[in-house]
Amino acid sequence: MPVTTITADRALKDFYLEPLREQLNLNVDPAFAMMRMTSDNVVGRKIVKGIGVGVNGGFGASDEAAVPAAHGNLYEQFELDTKNLYGTIEISDKAIKATKDNAGGFANLLGDEIDKSVKTAQMNTARQFYGDGNGRLGTLKAVTAAGTTHGVDDWRPFHEGMTVDFLSADGTPLQGGARRRITSVTRDDTAPTITTTGAAITSADTDIVTLQGSYGRELTGLEAIFDAGREKLYGLSRAVHGWLNPRVKNVGGAWDELDLQAMLDDIRIMTGRDVDYIVCALGVRRAYLDAERTLKRHVNTLDIAGGFKALSYNGIPIYASEHVAKGTLYALVTDTFTLGQLGDWEWIDQGGGVLTRKADSTVYQAVLAKYCDILCEQPIAQGKLTGITEA
């Protein structure tokens, strides 16, 4: 049968959708794979969940005549909006026609587009898990003359091909909000830069770069939980509800297991919970390995959720992610995290099927979508070490 947009539609829905869901739910990041995904607490566009706080107040030691008064659990309500995650693939009419009598060739073409889209979605979903929701990829450096090459604070979040926005620190678009595509990244730790398409522009050292249209619209990630400057979390005041504030310590020096163990002990004392997952920057993992090598201790590895591998600290996995800020380590209780979702990943039916022609274009487009956000039921059970000297 000749290849048509109808056969492509069927392939996207019947052949590709389930494998795509698995890759985007389980193979993004170990913490993502460990999270429970549910639509139970989704009300309209929001995630709403009642949370038990602290301990039951009905216990005490007394004589037989005066048993402890019954005081049940304390409850508060968390609320947050679902976020929109999209992955887009495009195929030209010319490519479809060129492979209409070659099903295998078309399958390769479609598979290649999907594979690239999935890898991009995985990378950005993992990045959002460690972010604060504002979408910032990096901060620009001030320049004295307008140009299309700009200094950035770190080259690691940037990749050729990304479509980005340049914004002021408060989210105001620069130069009328013209979108740009990154054409080159200078991967230099001393003076990293990005070069983009578009007209030359002068930037200040407080301006930021986000993915296209993503400012303030990304998942409520770890840094939203740990951001002490954020007045509210899940609609509640941090100042009023101290249990919304996780444990944070700046160690300001070399790797020391005692700093980590003290963090784990504090979390256990405060919550009765044991940390079951540690994730850190790549350089922090190197520092841990270097310290163990100096002590001539063998470091075991563990197979963890999503098919990932991690080092072991007293049986707790230590995973390293390129999305964790330098010198940083997180200690997490993973069963306190859930992904509230309207539903699983789905192709959007754009009125004419899944694969439809863009207006005034010879290009066909399919969009994969998921509406969700991350909720941590017990922020106080999470910990963060900063200022660790990397190896």
Side-chain angles (χ1 to χ4, degrees):
M1 182 175 66
V3 171
T4 65
T5 55
I6 295 175
T7 57
D9 254 37
R10 290 173 181 167
L12 289 172
K13 290 186 285 188
D14 299 339
F15 181 74
Y16 286 106
L17 184 56
E18 283 304 321
L20 283 174
R21 286 173 171 171
E22 181 172 341
Q23 291 180 69
L24 293 173
N25 289 333
L26 300 179
N27 303 133
V28 167
D29 181 272
F32 226 80
M34 295 175 196
M35 262 191 285
R36 186 171 69 93
M37 301 182 184
T38 179
S39 58
D40 290 349
N41 306 116
V42 178
V43 181
R45 299 164 61 94
K46 290 183 174 292
I47 300 168
V48 180
K49 186 173 177 64
I51 302 294
V53 179
V55 299
N56 186 286
F59 184 84
S62 62
D63 62 31
E64 294 178 1
V67 298
H71 293 285
N73 297 328
L74 299 176
Y75 287 95
E76 294 290 346
Q77 182 167 285
F78 283 179
E79 289 190 15
L80 66 164
D81 293 322
T82 52
K83 306 303 191 299
N84 310 328
L85 302 184
Y86 297 116
T88 305
I89 65 168
E90 291 185 347
I91 303 175
S92 70
D93 179 66
K94 183 177 180 179
I96 293 175
K97 283 182 168 55
T99 56
K100 69 177 183 178
D101 296 321
N102 182 354
F106 181 77
N108 289 337
L109 174 69
L110 190 60
D112 185 57
E113 283 294 319
I114 289 174
D115 184 59
K116 290 176 181 176
S117 180
V118 165
K119 284 181 168 56
T120 300
Q122 287 175 325
M123 175 185 69
N124 282 292
T125 304
R127 176 185 58 78
Q128 290 184 41
F129 175 76
Y130 297 102
D132 64 0
N134 83 340
R136 188 185 73 86
L137 292 172
T139 302
L140 295 167
K141 299 294 185 181
V143 294
T144 56
T148 57
T149 296
H150 296 267
V152 289
D153 56 342
D154 190 356
W155 56 265
R156 289 166 182 80
F158 296 100
H159 300 272
E160 288 85 355
M162 281 181 166
T163 303
V164 298
D165 295 332
F166 283 4
L167 309 169
S168 62
D170 65 0
T172 303
L174 303 185
Q175 202 185 39
R179 295 238 158 102
R180 300 160 184 277
R181 196 158 194 204
I182 296 176
T183 58
S184 178
V185 180
T186 303
R187 294 170 172 86
D188 184 327
D189 289 337
T190 304
T193 66
I194 58 172
T195 301
T196 69
T197 59
I201 187 172
T202 301
S203 61
D205 57 10
T206 56
D207 295 334
I208 63 173
V209 187
T210 70
L211 281 183
Q212 55 179 325
S214 297
Y215 179 76
R217 298 186 175 98
E218 293 194 341
L219 296 175
T220 307
L222 282 184
E223 276 305 298
I225 299 171
F226 285 94
D227 182 5
R230 184 181 289 250
E231 180 185 355
K232 289 187 176 182
L233 181 64
Y234 308 139
L236 299 178
S237 167
R238 288 180 181 271
V240 174
H241 305 287
W243 47 270
L244 286 172
N245 300 302
R247 201 72 165 170
V248 180
K249 180 181 179 182
N250 187 330
V251 301
W255 170 272
D256 190 331
E257 285 189 17
L258 290 180
D259 290 319
L260 175 57
Q261 191 58 55
M263 175 68 71
L264 304 187
D265 292 345
D266 285 347
I267 290 172
R268 185 172 186 178
I269 292 168
M270 293 185 299
T271 68
R273 305 298 302 275
D274 287 320
V275 166
D276 62 342
Y277 179 65
I278 297 167
V279 60
C280 63
L282 299 174
V284 172
R285 178 176 63 180
R286 293 194 297 269
Y288 173 57
L289 287 170
D290 185 57
E292 298 302 283
R293 181 185 62 180
T294 300
L295 295 170
K296 295 182 169 45
R297 294 197 301 213
H298 175 71
V299 179
N300 293 321
T301 59
L302 301 170
D303 293 321
I304 56 177
F308 296 92
K309 288 189 177 292
L311 303 178
S312 174
Y313 172 77
N314 292 338
I316 304 172
I318 299 182
Y319 180 72
S321 171
E322 66 272 27
H323 303 296
V324 176
K326 292 180 180 179
T328 300
L329 175 148
Y330 297 101
L332 308 177
V333 178
T334 59
D335 69 3
T336 64
F337 290 85
T338 57
L339 187 78
Q341 58 186 26
L342 284 172
D344 209 341
W345 289 96
E346 292 282 359
W347 294 108
I348 295 178
D349 190 320
Q350 302 178 72
V354 168
L355 192 67
T356 58
R357 187 169 66 85
K358 294 171 65 177
D360 301 320
S361 171
T362 60
V363 171
Y364 287 84
Q365 183 184 76
V367 180
L368 193 66
K370 184 169 184 172
Y371 308 105
C372 60
D373 205 354
I374 300 167
L375 185 146
C376 175
E377 298 179 11
Q378 204 170 7
I380 197 174
Q382 322 308 322
K384 177 182 178 183
L385 297 179
T386 64
I388 302 169
T389 302
E390 295 193 342

